[in-house]
Amino acid sequence: MSFEIFKDYLTSHVPLEENLLAELQLRTKEFTVSRGNFLLLPGEVNRYTYFIVSGFFRSFTHEEGFDRTLGFFGPGELCCLTTSYLKQQKSKEGILCEQEGTIYRVSYYDWRALEDISPEFLRLTKKILTDELLKLIDYNELIRNSSTTEQYLSLKNNHPNISMLVSQKSIASYLGISESTMSGIIKSLLFSSKK
């Protein structure tokens, strides 16, 4: 049943013929990932595209003895470290499971083989990359033109339960602020919601 969720995600970008979807399903592996396990460690090559059916994941880097949060991935999203994946080179980043979940995994080479088999699949890749680039442009615009509180609210809009899924420290790190500043933002929002 959950493969239907992955199929629906892909066909929402580009219509795909049933025989191509069947070929994709043959090349796709389903996994359950436990909290605290890594999909990828810094120094490894991102060899897979992951589709998150359930659970919650965080990308991070380890700098000067500290973890720095770079992004979050939730249900219905693709998850990979783009530079490492596209170049098939070692990543400085990692991906950690923050809430147990189910994922689908397709290898880089299987994905490329499907592009060779089908022009539709090549169009799918182009559409997904275009959509991700546009999200990145929107995010950069948000960073330039919004307060930290507005950035946090945007994050909560994209991942409504994030404060229950990851630590406040991880959210603060992602926003580039201290934990005490993060606490102040949360208190301010709670106070204003009670008025």
Side-chain angles (χ1 to χ4, degrees), residues 58-63 66-71 170 173-174 176:
R58 176 175 68 91
S59 63
F60 68 94
T61 187
H62 198 73
E63 298 172 352
F66 296 99
D67 280 348
R68 183 171 151 245
T69 298
L70 303 173
S170 293
S173 172
Y174 175 72

Side-chain angles (χ1 to χ4, degrees), residues 51-92:
F51 178 77
I52 302 169
V53 177
S54 63
F56 201 71
F57 297 81
R58 176 175 68 91
S59 63
F60 68 94
T61 187
H62 198 73
E63 298 172 352
E64 299 174 6
F66 296 99
D67 280 348
R68 183 171 151 245
T69 298
L70 303 173
F72 301 101
F73 306 94
E77 295 180 331
L78 286 182
C79 172
C80 79
L81 301 177
T82 310
T83 301
S84 175
Y85 179 81
L86 293 176
K87 293 184 175 182
Q88 285 298 282
Q89 67 183 25
K90 290 181 180 178
S91 176
K92 295 177 182 175

